[in-house]
Amino acid sequence: MLLGGMTPRAALGWIAVSAVVVATLGAVLGYVVDGDAFDSFGEALWWSVVTVGTVGYGDVVPTNAAGRGVASALIVFTMAFFPVLTGIVTATLIDQNRRRATTDRQREDDERQAELLRHLRAIEDRLTRLEERVR
């Protein structure tokens, strides 16, 4: 499994790295197709981060159809990708916790069964000794 063995800290890192990659790609695409809308790549990156973050300040906006297309794709991708990614990471962490709890319960059950078996053997030994005395 891709996310198997993930810790909450690693999950947060994975989501953060994904957001940085998406924002950076959005900035590159926006700057390439609508460079007139941005004074610098830094401004395109600002626009992309604000767009990915769904804040949308409106201080920097694409001005041509291609730039708006990139913006639209970035918005739709962000709305679809991050909730799914977060859901997958959350499900993975829940599944890991459930497996760990199941393993812990199984270990406790095994220990209880071993203890009961020791008690039963002790009772059986005492019963055997008592039967030998009675004979």
Side-chain angles (χ1 to χ4, degrees):
M1 173 186 243
L2 176 66
L3 303 176
M6 181 175 284
T7 64
R9 172 176 261 156
L12 182 61
W14 213 83
I15 291 170
V17 167
S18 298
V20 168
V21 168
V22 169
T24 302
L25 290 175
V28 169
L29 284 173
Y31 193 67
V32 167
V33 302
D34 197 3
D36 293 340
F38 310 106
D39 293 334
S40 65
F41 178 74
E43 191 171 64
L45 186 58
W46 168 251
W47 161 78
S48 185
V49 167
V50 167
T51 302
V52 166
T54 67
V55 176
Y57 290 128
D59 56 341
V60 180
V61 295
T63 56
N64 66 31
R68 290 181 181 143
V70 169
S72 297
L74 190 59
I75 291 166
V76 169
F77 180 78
T78 300
M79 288 182 347
F81 176 70
F82 286 108
V84 169
L85 176 62
T86 303
I88 289 169
V89 169
T90 301
T92 299
L93 293 173
I94 289 170
D95 185 54
Q96 288 174 359
N97 284 339
R98 185 177 298 128
R99 287 181 192 198
R100 192 173 306 118
T102 300
T103 301
D104 291 345
R105 271 193 306 267
Q106 184 63 47
R107 188 177 317 113
E108 289 170 7
D109 288 349
D110 289 349
E111 289 171 4
R112 271 191 232 113
Q113 285 179 345
E115 182 67 23
L116 286 171
L117 190 57
R118 282 191 294 276
H119 284 294
L120 285 173
R121 286 187 179 139
I123 291 170
E124 186 177 31
D125 288 345
R126 288 176 65 191
L127 185 58
T128 301
R129 285 193 306 270
L130 285 172
E131 286 175 340
E132 287 173 357
R133 279 190 198 171
V134 171
R135 288 185 205 167

